[in-house]
Amino acid sequence: WEGPSANQQAAMAPGVSENVRVIVRIRPLTQREIDRGDEEMIRLVTDTSLQVSDPSSMRGGRPMSALAYQFAGCFGPSCPQDQLFEGSGLKTLLDHILEGYSATAFAYGPTGSGKTFSIAGRPDSIIKNGSGDATDGLVMRSIESLFEKIRNLQREGLQFKVRASCVEIYNESVIDLIKFSRASKDCHALPVKFDTARASFFVHELSYCKCPTEEDLLRLYMRTLRNRSVAGHQLNRDSSRSHALFTVYVDSMIKGEDGHITTRHGKMTFVDLAGSERLKESKSEGTTLRETGSLNKSLF
């Protein structure tokens, strides 16, 4: 995840000393990999380190050498979703969002590595059954945690407004997932423009949905999951064919002793990147082949 900037950190409480925190999650072997006789080449050593075996050093079915890596956090194949959320640092980021800062959590890795599962959980199950399942991903758990924090602060007299937006980047085009799915007849790409006053890019005519309750935000997220582009290939039956950005905006209103109200604007963006693919292994064809080219181009 990406935390507040260096300037923002200077105004924060002591103890915050990092802008970017990288955590690694090792997914278990798929049934296809097990049937093929594949071996696990990544081993969790501690909660902050892992080893990657060198496949060229295999002797008698065992690797003879490996490289060690350290990260802010490492989670093994048996790690449940709730443990990942608790150890990811997202709760701390949500606290900063309520203080008026911006942060980003994004999943990156090759196709089939479990990015969407970590970020969203099982989209089919969420759309059908809603939240509350053990497989709920980081977004669902963050929404629940965010509104719990808001309810606690409201008891102290603070007021909040919550909005959300969601876009997917599909074949280099930006689609508003709150309004459209790619299959919609009236679906059209939105232009990305540059705001000279703020020195930042923005999506023109992007829709923002007010979400006064936790249920409203969860329902909105489920709608965006339903609208996202997916397709199957040899490496992943439900491969995401686009990058998806779900952003939650929180306006915090604080009344000072003089009666003046100060508003802080924070936002949390969850990014589920489509995975990089090797055509030799994914065997993509037709439309999926074109999507793969766009995905790899945008990632690099």
Side-chain angles (χ1 to χ4, degrees), residues 139-147 214 217-218 221 246:
V139 176
M140 308 287 278
R141 296 176 186 276
S142 294
I143 291 173
E144 293 166 356
S145 179
L146 173 65
F147 274 90
E214 177 181 330
L217 188 52
L218 288 171
Y221 181 58
F246 183 75

Side-chain angles (χ1 to χ4, degrees), residues 224-242:
T224 64
L225 290 176
R226 188 181 299 112
N227 288 342
R228 192 176 178 193
S229 303
V230 297
H233 53 63
Q234 289 292 317
L235 296 179
N236 189 356
R237 182 174 61 86
D238 298 306
S239 175
S240 299
R241 311 311 296 164
S242 64

Side-chain angles (χ1 to χ4, degrees), residues 34-53:
I34 294 173
D35 294 342
R36 198 167 56 193
D38 291 352
E39 299 284 342
E40 291 186 348
M41 304 303 288
I42 303 177
R43 184 175 69 89
L44 185 68
V45 179
T46 69
D47 58 359
T48 58
S49 64
L50 53 80
Q51 284 186 342
V52 180
S53 300

Side-chain angles (χ1 to χ4, degrees), residues 49-87:
S49 64
L50 53 80
Q51 284 186 342
V52 180
S53 300
D54 180 2
S56 65
S57 68
M58 298 293 285
R59 298 291 186 275
R62 298 187 60 177
M64 304 304 292
S65 64
L67 296 175
Y69 297 92
Q70 285 195 324
F71 299 93
C74 296
F75 300 87
S78 61
C79 170
Q81 296 282 68
D82 59 345
Q83 183 180 334
L84 176 69
F85 176 66
E86 293 295 332

Side-chain angles (χ1 to χ4, degrees), residues 192-261:
V192 177
K193 298 187 175 183
F194 186 75
D195 185 338
T196 54
R198 297 184 178 181
S200 63
F201 291 93
F202 69 98
V203 179
H204 186 57
E205 295 185 345
L206 178 63
S207 57
Y208 299 88
C209 188
K210 295 180 180 179
C211 301
T213 69
E214 177 181 330
E215 291 73 20
D216 291 329
L217 188 52
L218 288 171
R219 278 195 293 268
L220 179 68
Y221 181 58
M222 287 186 275
R223 187 204 309 176
T224 64
L225 290 176
R226 188 181 299 112
N227 288 342
R228 192 176 178 193
S229 303
V230 297
H233 53 63
Q234 289 292 317
L235 296 179
N236 189 356
R237 182 174 61 86
D238 298 306
S239 175
S240 299
R241 311 311 296 164
S242 64
H243 310 303
L245 292 80
F246 183 75
T247 304
V248 179
Y249 307 84
V250 181
D251 297 336
S252 310
M253 286 146 284
I254 304 171
K255 189 174 184 179
E257 295 181 357
D258 59 355
H260 180 71
I261 296 178

Side-chain angles (χ1 to χ4, degrees), residues 65-286:
S65 64
L67 296 175
Y69 297 92
Q70 285 195 324
F71 299 93
C74 296
F75 300 87
S78 61
C79 170
Q81 296 282 68
D82 59 345
Q83 183 180 334
L84 176 69
F85 176 66
E86 293 295 332
S88 66
L90 275 171
K91 283 188 174 181
T92 301
L93 287 185
L94 293 174
D95 287 332
H96 295 323
I97 300 309
L98 295 172
E99 295 169 354
Y101 299 103
S102 299
T104 301
F106 71 91
Y108 177 82
T111 185
S113 58
K115 299 180 298 299
T116 297
F117 179 71
S118 294
I119 289 287
R122 300 191 185 279
D124 290 345
S125 175
I126 294 170
I127 293 169
K128 183 178 180 180
N129 305 315
S131 63
D133 189 87
T135 61
D136 286 350
L138 296 176
V139 176
M140 308 287 278
R141 296 176 186 276
S142 294
I143 291 173
E144 293 166 356
S145 179
L146 173 65
F147 274 90
E148 181 182 356
K149 293 175 183 291
I150 286 177
R151 286 190 291 269
N152 291 335
L153 290 171
Q154 283 176 331
R155 297 188 187 103
E156 300 175 10
L158 278 72
Q159 295 181 326
F160 297 89
K161 291 182 180 179
V162 179
R163 299 172 298 144
S165 67
C166 188
V167 299
E168 74 169 354
I169 303 173
Y170 175 78
N171 280 345
E172 303 298 291
S173 297
V174 178
I175 308 297
D176 186 339
L177 288 185
I178 291 180
K179 285 186 177 180
F180 311 107
S181 70
R182 186 171 55 87
S184 301
K185 291 183 179 179
D186 55 349
C187 175
H188 60 275
L190 299 180
V192 177
K193 298 187 175 183
F194 186 75
D195 185 338
T196 54
R198 297 184 178 181
S200 63
F201 291 93
F202 69 98
V203 179
H204 186 57
E205 295 185 345
L206 178 63
S207 57
Y208 299 88
C209 188
K210 295 180 180 179
C211 301
T213 69
E214 177 181 330
E215 291 73 20
D216 291 329
L217 188 52
L218 288 171
R219 278 195 293 268
L220 179 68
Y221 181 58
M222 287 186 275
R223 187 204 309 176
T224 64
L225 290 176
R226 188 181 299 112
N227 288 342
R228 192 176 178 193
S229 303
V230 297
H233 53 63
Q234 289 292 317
L235 296 179
N236 189 356
R237 182 174 61 86
D238 298 306
S239 175
S240 299
R241 311 311 296 164
S242 64
H243 310 303
L245 292 80
F246 183 75
T247 304
V248 179
Y249 307 84
V250 181
D251 297 336
S252 310
M253 286 146 284
I254 304 171
K255 189 174 184 179
E257 295 181 357
D258 59 355
H260 180 71
I261 296 178
T262 301
T263 303
R264 298 172 177 174
H265 306 284
K267 70 175 181 178
M268 181 79 209
T269 301
F270 299 91
V271 183
D272 183 12
L273 294 174
S276 57
E277 297 179 14
R278 294 180 179 177
L279 293 176
K280 181 179 178 181
E281 297 179 4
S282 67
K283 295 181 172 56
S284 298
E285 299 177 330

